[in-house]
């Protein structure tokens, strides 16, 4: 490599890829003045999204967190309830529970899959029952694009008579038994934040097959207005609307999704092949019984065997202009949740310390991926 090329181009972790008909669709909104909370693209995005995930209805929202909040209300979560969530997830999963007036009950991760562990889930459900607490819902988040053990969670939900709803914010394109996460229960919620597999800049979606839940989702997310002339609202609703401009972008991004998923799978296969023989590196777990979207390819580092911690590797890659990221601080350790009787989640703690997500924007080039691989191998060597 030339000595003059010391300034290397930055390789981000996961950034939007605008290469479809986004401009064309957004221009149509601007040219026609249909820029706000109703419009043809909202209806179209909802219909096409529902068709893609195989559900009867989809309701757009202003962000994934808003979709989670309303989904929990639709599931019947009440103030004072507990809701099972993974400790290891982006904190919005737990925050949505708080917005519904309930308290998260943090469940540890399965060390094999990194997903919310049904064995610890049974313990949490039993603890809640013994303490006389009502559990309003179970909400696995399907992390990094891989599915939690849906079959085990469905069985626990049935046994304890608790609704199962899915934080599918990272799970667009994820499957279990060949079906989407929307097809695994009454309700699922998605996110179109900037780093997700498709993006509207910011946005979300609730899906359901139940027409009553769909009507109520639309009602609650659009201020619960029952009379558009007199401005009568029959309950305290929310302004969680997805705008037509953003839905236009969503339609274009959804057209790209099959191609984006192909690329994610290809990046994952290449990373796994190139990294699996490095001592101390555990590559992204292959999902059992499901299909991963490989949203954010992540490795686990055994510091002793590898000769450095995940954070040492993060700093090394940063010095090479390569952005990586640890998994989120587990919810049970978050300062935001210290008031809520925390449970021990030792696997989540360890994964937080040991895991690192690698660059996998859908626009990542083969050359950039090779640069990431070379930099990791150089550090290991
Ligand atoms: C991104 C994300 C959310 C929040 O979605 P926003 O659109 O950013 O509000 C919730 N849960 C998980 C697991 C996420 O990854």
């Amino acid at each position: 490599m030339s000595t003059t090329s010391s300034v290397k181009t930055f390789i981000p972790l996961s950034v939007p890829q605008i290469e479809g008909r986004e401009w064309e669709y957004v221009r149509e909104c601007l040219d026609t003045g249909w820029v706000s909370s109703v419009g043809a693209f909202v209806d179209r995005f909802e219909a096409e999204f529902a068709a893609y995930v195989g559900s009867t209805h989809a309701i757009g929202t202003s962000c994934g967190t808003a979709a989670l909040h309303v989904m929990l209300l639709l599931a019947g979560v009440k103030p004072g309830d507990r809701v099972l969530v993974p400790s290891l997830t982006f904190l919005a999963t737990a925050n949505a529970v708080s917005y519904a007036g309930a308290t998260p009950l943090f469940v540890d991760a399965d060390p094999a899959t990194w997903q919310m562990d049904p064995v610890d889930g049974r313990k949490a459900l039993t603890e809640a029952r013994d303490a006389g607490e009502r559990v309003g819902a179970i909400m696995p988040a399907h992390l990094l694009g891989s599915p939690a053990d849906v079959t085990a969670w469905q069985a626990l939900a049935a046994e304890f008579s608790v609704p199962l709803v899915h934080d599918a914010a990272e799970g667009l394109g994820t499957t279990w038994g060949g079906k989407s996460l929307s097809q695994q229960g009454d309700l699922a919620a998605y996110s179109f934040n900037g780093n997700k597999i498709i993006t509207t800049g910011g946005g979300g979606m609730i899906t359901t097959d139940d027409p009553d839940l769909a009507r109520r989702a639309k009602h609650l997310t659009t201020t619960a207005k029952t009379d558009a002339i007199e401005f009568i609202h029959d309950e305290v609703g929310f302004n969680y609307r997805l705008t037509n401009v953003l839905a236009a972008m969503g339609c274009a991004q959804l057209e790209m999704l099959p191609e984006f998923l192909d690329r994610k799978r290809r990046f994952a296969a290449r990373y796994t092949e190139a990294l699996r023989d490095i001592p101390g590196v555990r590559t992204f777990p292959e999902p059992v019984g499901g299909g991963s979207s490989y949203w954010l390819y992540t490795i686990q580092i055994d510091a002793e065997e590898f000769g450095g911690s995940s954070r040492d590797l993060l700093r090394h890659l940063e010095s090479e202009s390569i952005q990586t990221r640890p998994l989120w601080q587990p919810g049970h350790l978050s300062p935001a949740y210290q008031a809520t009787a925390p449970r021990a989640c030792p696997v989540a703690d360890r994964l937080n310390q040991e895991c690192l997500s690698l660059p996998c924007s859908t626009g990542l080039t083969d050359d950039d991926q090779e640069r990431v691989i070379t930099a990791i191998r150089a550090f290991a060597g």
Side-chain angles (χ1 to χ4, degrees):
M1 194 181 285
S2 139
T3 49
T4 54
S5 67
S6 57
V7 180
K8 298 193 173 109
T9 53
F10 177 66
I11 304 178
L13 181 71
S14 180
V15 291
Q17 179 67 10
I18 310 297
E19 63 174 80
R21 302 174 75 180
E22 289 85 355
W23 268 115
E24 180 189 333
Y25 293 168
V26 169
R27 179 179 297 281
E28 196 177 317
C29 299
L30 304 192
D31 286 347
T32 58
W34 286 94
V35 295
S36 193
S37 49
V38 289
F41 281 113
V42 175
D43 298 340
R44 177 171 156 188
F45 187 37
E46 289 176 342
E48 289 177 355
F49 191 90
Y52 184 84
V53 298
S55 65
T56 318
H57 305 278
I59 299 89
T61 61
S62 51
C63 66
T65 312
L68 292 175
H69 177 194
V70 170
M71 176 173 78
L72 290 171
L73 300 179
L74 296 172
V77 171
K78 303 266 182 302
D81 283 356
R82 305 299 300 271
V83 174
L84 267 67
V85 295
S87 181
L88 188 69
T89 176
F90 180 50
L91 204 62
T93 312
N95 286 349
V97 173
S98 302
Y99 301 164
T103 306
L105 185 50
F106 292 114
V107 177
D108 205 1
D110 177 330
T113 64
W114 306 347
Q115 306 294 327
M116 178 152 120
D117 180 9
V119 175
D120 192 49
R122 169 179 292 284
K123 282 192 206 139
L125 286 163
T126 308
E127 282 163 25
R129 188 172 60 193
D130 293 349
E133 293 173 320
R134 199 186 96 99
V135 176
I138 299 171
M139 182 163 67
H142 304 270
L143 301 175
L144 306 167
S146 287
D149 185 339
V150 174
T151 305
W153 283 110
Q154 281 169 339
L156 280 173
E159 182 185 336
F160 286 81
S161 301
V162 176
L164 177 67
V165 299
H166 299 284
D167 178 346
E170 301 170 14
L172 180 55
T174 303
T175 58
W176 182 262
K179 292 181 171 173
S180 80
L181 295 174
S182 290
Q183 295 171 307
Q184 312 293 341
D186 289 339
L187 290 155
Y190 294 84
S191 164
F192 312 121
N193 182 44
N195 66 358
K196 297 297 179 352
I197 194 156
I198 66 168
T199 185
T200 58
M205 196 72 86
I206 301 168
T207 63
T208 181
D209 286 339
D210 182 325
D212 293 330
L213 289 179
R215 247 191 311 277
R216 192 156 160 68
K218 198 62 165 176
H219 188 60
L220 280 178
T221 53
T222 57
T223 77
K225 193 159 42 178
T226 51
D227 187 316
I229 293 167
E230 301 291 345
F231 273 74
I232 296 165
H233 306 258
D234 65 355
E235 61 184 304
V236 179
F238 306 93
N239 180 5
Y240 283 170
R241 295 174 288 207
L242 181 68
T243 68
N244 201 46
V245 176
L246 298 186
M249 196 169 155
C251 287
Q253 287 270 295
L254 196 57
E255 290 171 357
M256 294 302 300
L257 180 57
E259 164 70 20
F260 286 173
L261 286 166
D262 278 353
R263 292 182 199 172
K264 292 277 193 190
R265 257 189 298 274
R266 194 156 46 75
F267 300 151
R270 175 68 191 126
Y271 273 136
T272 297
E273 171 197 278
L275 302 176
R276 72 173 154 219
D277 64 333
I278 301 177
V281 172
R282 184 178 165 220
T283 52
F284 196 91
E286 282 300 323
V288 180
S292 183
S293 69
Y294 295 102
W295 167 60
L296 218 45
Y297 189 91
T298 302
I299 56 176
Q300 185 178 1
I301 303 286
D302 179 321
E304 224 157 273
E305 244 193 292
F306 184 67
S309 69
S310 67
R311 303 312 192 262
D312 293 334
L313 180 60
L314 178 148
R315 280 185 291 273
H316 169 71
L317 294 173
E318 196 173 39
S319 75
E320 298 277 327
S321 290
I322 295 167
Q323 185 184 26
T324 59
R325 197 176 71 189
L327 294 184
W328 320 265
Q329 180 182 48
H332 73 283
L333 298 181
S334 170
Y337 285 99
Q338 283 322 291
T340 67
R343 298 179 72 240
C345 298
V347 179
D349 295 349
R350 203 176 73 232
L351 293 172
N352 165 246
Q353 286 309 307
E354 297 186 345
C355 286
L356 208 57
S357 298
L358 305 182
C360 47
S361 304
T362 44
L364 183 72
T365 63
D366 290 346
D367 283 354
D368 280 354
Q369 189 177 19
E370 289 311 311
R371 223 179 91 201
V372 177
I373 289 165
T374 305
I376 294 171
R377 295 195 72 95
F379 185 78

